[in-house]
Amino acid sequence: MNRRSWAPLVPLVVVTLLPTLVGVLYTVAASVGFFPATGGVGRFTLEPYRYLWASGDLLTALRYSAVLAMVGTAAAFGLALPLALALSGGDRWSRIGRFGLHIPLPVPHLVVALSAVQLLTQSGLVARVLVRLGLIGGSKSFPALVFDRFGIGVGLVYLWKEVPYLAVVLAAVLAGIGAEHDRVARTLGASRMQRFRLITLPLAVRGALPTLLLLFTFLVGAYEVPLVVGRAYPTALAVLGQQRLANVDLARRPEGFAVNAVLLAVTLALGLLYGRVTRPPETR
């Protein structure tokens, strides 16, 4: 590679890669005791990790994030695939439906999360309307969909955002598959459910697997939605890290860096898995 070929990459490296690398190195160093604010420079320790493990907070947050990401990804796929199939036709309503799928995509997650708080809390707009219509006896009768321990509100926000995104991806995957496989299976006597279970579903999963893995990675490291819509405990891994970094006791702040270091390790592992999944079969 000559100088002219890599010269255009220099600004990209300086603007993006270098600050990211500095942040990663500082996070890892601060998590093992090299945190200048506490006078701990040069004093290696794993005490932040030991404390987080002993308290159970790290494991609880990691489990919460993993379960939320798995359920959210699976539910989004389960809703997006029928939607993509329903809108795969060439008629006018299918085209309008496909256009409608793009409407939620540019809306930031934070905006959707704040809207969910305004709409879905027990004192929110939906509950007040239902009370006014006499459909429920009071605001306390409205189910707790936000700030709940099971993350229902967080999941609803993610579904509103991610189902259209996955449906757009799956529509492209289904268009790439074509109708040949389905036509051959129909000729051989396969029912509609058999064609879906044995042909459409496996091919859709295979084609959308990289996107599903990216979505899972995003949900594991998500911050703003669990912060706004979720509970303070249990909470997502990224929110736990920010909570510990905001501790007024500077001696406890390395715990926040330790949480973020664990999140970095998880993200890196998922990134390596994504690279393996997207690698051509002959190079694996």
Side-chain angles (χ1 to χ4, degrees), residues 42 63 67 101 144 153 212:
R63 182 168 55 242
V67 170
L101 290 176
L212 293 173

Side-chain angles (χ1 to χ4, degrees), residues 10-279:
V10 174
L12 179 64
V13 172
V14 172
V15 174
T16 60
L17 184 59
L18 187 59
T20 301
L21 183 60
V22 171
V24 169
L25 292 177
Y26 183 82
T27 297
V28 174
S31 72
V32 294
F34 297 88
F35 187 47
T38 61
V41 179
R43 294 160 57 182
F44 177 83
T45 178
L46 294 177
E47 189 60 31
Y49 293 94
R50 283 195 290 265
Y51 182 86
L52 288 168
W53 182 263
S55 66
D57 294 342
L58 179 62
L59 188 59
T60 299
L62 184 59
R63 182 168 55 242
Y64 180 87
S65 295
V67 170
L68 189 64
M70 285 188 291
V71 173
T73 303
F77 178 80
L79 293 173
L81 182 56
L83 187 59
L85 289 170
L87 298 178
S88 60
D91 58 284
R92 182 179 65 177
W93 294 111
S94 295
R95 291 194 298 270
I96 293 175
R98 288 195 296 270
F99 174 79
L101 290 176
H102 291 79
I103 296 177
L105 298 184
V107 182
H109 284 81
L110 182 58
V111 173
V112 182
L114 292 173
S115 300
V117 172
Q118 296 296 321
L119 292 172
L120 300 179
T121 57
Q122 291 182 316
S123 59
L125 180 61
V126 174
R128 293 200 300 269
V129 169
L130 293 178
V131 171
R132 185 64 62 91
L133 293 175
L135 298 177
I136 59 176
S139 60
K140 295 297 183 183
S141 301
F142 190 75
L145 300 177
V146 179
F147 312 130
D148 61 294
R149 62 174 299 187
F150 300 107
I152 296 176
V154 178
L156 291 175
V157 171
Y158 284 144
L159 288 179
W160 193 88
K161 279 288 297 177
E162 312 310 340
V163 167
Y165 168 69
L166 270 181
V168 170
V169 173
L170 286 169
V173 171
L174 293 174
I177 293 173
E180 292 80 8
H181 298 86
D182 187 79
R183 189 180 303 113
V184 171
R186 190 185 313 162
T187 303
L188 295 175
S191 66
R192 176 178 297 182
M193 182 55 65
Q194 287 174 325
R195 296 197 304 271
F196 174 79
R197 181 170 56 87
L198 300 175
I199 298 175
T200 304
L201 182 59
L203 292 177
V205 171
R206 185 183 305 172
L209 186 57
T211 303
L212 293 173
L213 187 54
L214 284 178
L215 177 58
F216 178 83
T217 304
F218 168 77
L219 295 182
V220 167
Y223 170 72
E224 67 271 31
V225 175
L227 177 70
V228 174
V229 185
R231 296 182 65 178
Y233 189 89
T235 190
L237 203 58
V239 178
L240 176 64
Q242 179 58 32
Q243 289 174 347
R244 296 305 173 95
L245 287 174
N247 198 317
V248 294
D249 185 359
L250 293 179
R252 301 292 299 276
R253 290 193 180 183
E255 296 170 14
F257 289 106
V259 174
N260 289 337
V262 172
L263 183 56
L264 282 170
V266 172
T267 304
L268 179 61
L270 291 172
L272 293 174
L273 179 60
Y274 175 82
R276 181 173 179 80
V277 168
T278 56
R279 190 184 309 168

